[in-house]
Amino acid sequence: MVVRVAVAGASGYAGGEVLRLLLSHPEVEIGALTGHSNAGQLLGGLQPHLVPLAGRTLEPTTAEVLAGHDVVFLALPHGQSAAVAAELGDEVLVVDMGADHRLKDSADWDRFYGAPHAGTWPYGLPELPGARAALAGTRRIAVPGCFPTAVSLALHPAYQARLAEPEAVVVAATGTSGAGKALKPHLLGSEVMGTVSPYGVGGVHRHTPEMVQNLSPLAGERVSVSFTPHLVPMARGILATCSAKARPGTTAESLRAAYEKAYADETFVQLLPEGVWPTTKAVYGSNSVHLQVAYDESAQRIIAISAIDNLTKGTAGGAVQSMNIALGFPEALGLSTIGVAP
Ligand SMILES: NC(=O)C1=CN([C@@H]2O[C@H](COP(=O)(O)OP(=O)(O)OC[C@H]3O[C@@H](n4cnc5c(N)ncnc54)[C@H](OP(=O)(O)O)[C@@H]3O)[C@@H](O)[C@H]2O)C=CC1
Ligand SMILES: CC(=O)N[C@@H](CCC(=O)OP(=O)(O)O)C(=O)O
């Protein structure tokens, strides 16, 4: 069954990445491509890597242009998805790559985003318990934030096995593409090259409530997350170092066993051999999550480190994986576990 797919926000980083993946998807025909300030431009001038689509012209992002498709990906700035989705009809599969429909608690939405809360859709992180059942057959998907993907998958087995205390500390490095393509002074090359800078420090990053929302049900109690991202001079990639105090009785063996059990059947989560550490390079352009876990016996802490490509598993790859589940396609169709090296 070939589905006709539209991409809104095709001029942006997330829209470009979803198109890169969809071009290799055997059951997808690419329909309308839309932009905002770039409407009317040729895609080839904006996304020259998408060779088969180079001659396509971007249309404006309107319900009329997006009508008549089986699937619509919304790769729009936060706050722009709900109004577009509302006009698309219940039978269309709408995959929102922005934040509008991720959070369950409206108070969290108000605090971190500050506009009216659009509501909550099935959450596109299939590896979390219960997620696949919620995604199967759905016509609405909220794609997770990139940091919550990396952090939730790193800590999920430790909380599910009740090995970790409910106070997590996360320090993560991210490439600049996470901030989107729009011009931002702090992302100028001369500001970013040759330096590493923290941002969103002190519990104010908007991905924090999403991590808490994902981890707390696994732990059976509220998990607090102290999250500090760092901007590093690379285009793609997230490396998240996540730690939590171990519960009494935790051993290196019980920790390893919990991670092996949690991810034994997961195509896109690779628990690396002991002693091998995740790197952003190894997941570049792939839908893989590379993961390693260690028990720091002297500090009695669990350390879990994950690497993802923020644009692939962190947004567009996760979006395609979730689309596959919703439509009943094999989950890995059009997606690769293989990175690029060197
Ligand atoms: N970059 C990443 O790693 C990740 C991004 N996301 C999410 O994906 C979404 C898109 O992000 P990203 O691609 O990085 O951002 P970009 O800034 O690269 O792209 C934004 C896109 O939205 C369009 N756009 C801008 N303003 C409006 C508007 N008012 N109405 C309609 N369309 C508009 C732009 O069109 P034009 O260029 O023509 O003006 C462009 O196509 C965001 O919600 C982001 O949070 C999620 C996870 C990771
Ligand atoms: C470098 C950088 O600025 N990264 C972004 C990542 C956000 C993202 O990609 O996720 P959303 O879908 O929630 O926007 C940030 O920290 O806000």
Side-chain angles (χ1 to χ4, degrees):
M1 175 187 75
V2 172
V3 291
R4 191 165 161 76
V5 177
V7 175
S11 48
Y13 285 150
E17 180 71 354
V18 85
L19 285 168
R20 183 178 75 85
L21 300 173
L22 292 175
L23 281 167
S24 305
H25 195 295
E27 303 294 348
V28 163
E29 173 191 302
I30 295 175
L33 307 178
T34 79
H36 184 62
S37 59
N38 286 301
Q41 301 292 315
L42 282 179
L43 192 71
L46 299 158
Q47 309 275 27
H49 61 300
L50 302 175
V51 173
L53 301 172
R56 299 281 297 272
T57 301
L58 289 177
E59 299 182 77
T61 304
T62 64
E64 293 69 37
V65 170
L66 297 171
H69 295 82
D70 303 301
V71 183
V72 176
F73 286 88
L74 300 177
L76 307 175
H78 303 314
Q80 299 296 329
S81 303
V84 178
E87 292 192 67
L88 291 178
D90 294 342
E91 69 288 353
V92 181
L93 172 56
V94 183
V95 185
D96 185 4
M97 294 158 77
D100 297 24
H101 303 95
R102 294 174 189 159
L103 293 177
K104 294 180 179 158
D105 185 337
S106 294
D108 280 341
W109 176 268
D110 292 345
R111 184 165 159 228
F112 286 89
Y113 293 88
H117 188 209
T120 313
W121 290 355
Y123 192 67
L125 193 50
E127 293 83 1
L128 288 185
R132 288 189 174 92
L135 290 169
T138 186
R139 288 297 174 262
R140 294 290 184 270
I141 296 170
V143 179
C146 47
F147 288 118
T149 294
V151 172
S152 304
L153 295 179
L155 286 173
H156 144 220
Y159 281 114
Q160 193 172 42
R162 305 288 158 93
L163 296 176
E165 298 288 354
E167 291 126 23
V169 176
V170 177
V171 176
T174 177
T176 54
S177 63
K181 210 169 180 176
L183 184 64
K184 297 182 179 76
H186 74 285
L187 293 175
L188 291 170
S190 48
E191 303 294 327
V192 172
M193 281 187 297
T195 191
V196 176
S197 354
Y199 67 100
V201 183
V204 299
H205 194 282
R206 64 183 189 284
H207 285 172
T208 306
E210 207 181 319
M211 297 174 196
V212 172
Q213 176 175 294
N214 292 345
L215 295 172
S216 298
L218 301 166
E221 60 188 313
R222 188 183 186 282
V223 174
S224 70
V225 180
S226 173
F227 171 54
T228 312
H230 291 71
L231 195 63
V232 303
M234 60 186 184
R236 287 175 181 242
I238 286 178
L239 187 81
T241 301
C242 313
S243 90
K245 184 106 177 142
R247 285 199 192 277
T250 301
T251 62
E253 292 71 29
S254 63
L255 187 61
R256 182 91 197 165
Y259 277 71
E260 282 173 351
K261 182 169 169 224
Y263 292 129
D265 298 325
E266 292 295 349
T267 304
F268 293 115
V269 184
Q270 284 99 45
L271 179 62
L272 300 181
E274 286 182 65
V276 180
W277 298 100
T279 61
T280 55
K281 187 82 180 186
V283 294
Y284 197 92
S286 90
N287 202 47
S288 286
V289 181
H290 282 190
L291 186 57
Q292 186 55 281
V293 64
Y295 181 48
D296 179 342
E297 200 163 357
S298 61
Q300 296 184 325
R301 291 190 75 83
I302 293 165
I303 319 288
I305 302 183
S306 61
I308 62 169
D309 186 320
N310 56 296
L311 285 173
T312 318
K313 180 59 176 168
T315 180
V320 171
Q321 187 183 349
S322 297
M323 175 197 80
N324 285 338
I325 296 170
L327 297 177
F329 294 148
E331 190 173 320
L333 209 59
L335 296 168
S336 175
T337 56
I338 302 165
V340 177

